[in-house]
Amino acid sequence: MEKFTQRIMDLCNENKRVAMFIDMDGTINEYIVFSEDTVVKEMEDNYMNISPLPTVLNDLEKISDISNIDLYILSLSRTKSLTQIKKEWLKKYVSFIPEENWIILTKEIGDYTNETRDKIKAMKMQEYTDYDHLILLDDDHNILKHTSNVLHNKVNVFHISSVII
């Protein structure tokens, strides 16, 4: 069994109900860097061609079988159009996480701003009070640090590199 999967199982054994929030870009799929001037158009035009990360998805699918954990996608999107495209990508590659557990926060409709970008995931996770423990899997150090600082001992944060080793 993978090291990461075992760590998650241990957390589930120590807690009654666990929610795991999983980022998309650079976490469950390949991270493609586009210039700031073209990022929105490039992502909208090419998102469906971004490769999933099979090792990560395989581990998450195993984790989804743990009885006291619920998996959530927690991703940021710049536009409504990209949000729809991300949902199509999830339908294609991540069908083991139910659609009602997909949280895609969209900048265009005011779900977050440049100022709240690093904080919004922790704020969203705080809404899930039915869980004894929370987990965040992300590739962004600022988001991981902020979430750890805000949620303290109620959360474990993992960088994507934890899954890959």
Side-chain angles (χ1 to χ4, degrees), residues 44-99:
E44 288 175 353
D45 290 349
N46 297 303
Y47 203 88
M48 288 305 294
N49 298 321
I50 294 176
S51 298
L53 299 177
T55 302
V56 177
L57 291 177
N58 288 339
D59 280 4
L60 291 173
E61 193 160 11
K62 289 175 195 169
I63 290 167
S64 74
D65 290 334
I66 300 171
S67 63
N68 64 327
I69 193 169
D70 292 324
L71 302 185
Y72 292 87
I73 295 296
L74 181 54
S75 184
L76 303 180
S77 172
R78 293 181 185 218
T79 66
K80 293 185 288 188
S81 176
L82 183 56
T83 296
Q84 285 309 118
I85 295 166
K86 283 186 169 199
K87 288 179 180 180
E88 290 303 314
W89 191 94
L90 286 167
K91 284 179 189 172
K92 184 174 181 179
Y93 295 108
V94 193
S95 59
F96 60 91
I97 298 178
E99 191 169 347

Side-chain angles (χ1 to χ4, degrees), residues 66-136:
I66 300 171
S67 63
N68 64 327
I69 193 169
D70 292 324
L71 302 185
Y72 292 87
I73 295 296
L74 181 54
S75 184
L76 303 180
S77 172
R78 293 181 185 218
T79 66
K80 293 185 288 188
S81 176
L82 183 56
T83 296
Q84 285 309 118
I85 295 166
K86 283 186 169 199
K87 288 179 180 180
E88 290 303 314
W89 191 94
L90 286 167
K91 284 179 189 172
K92 184 174 181 179
Y93 295 108
V94 193
S95 59
F96 60 91
I97 298 178
E99 191 169 347
E100 61 267 16
N101 289 10
W102 300 348
I103 306 161
I104 303 176
L105 304 170
T106 308
K107 185 177 183 181
E108 183 179 49
I109 62 172
D111 289 340
Y112 72 97
T113 64
N114 289 343
E115 293 76 28
T116 62
R117 183 196 174 280
D118 293 346
K119 303 170 186 168
I120 193 64
K121 288 185 180 182
M123 292 165 54
K124 182 55 80 174
M125 290 171 67
Q126 283 181 306
E127 296 174 12
Y128 288 78
T129 57
D130 290 347
Y131 294 96
D132 303 310
H133 200 71
L134 306 172
I135 298 168
L136 176 62

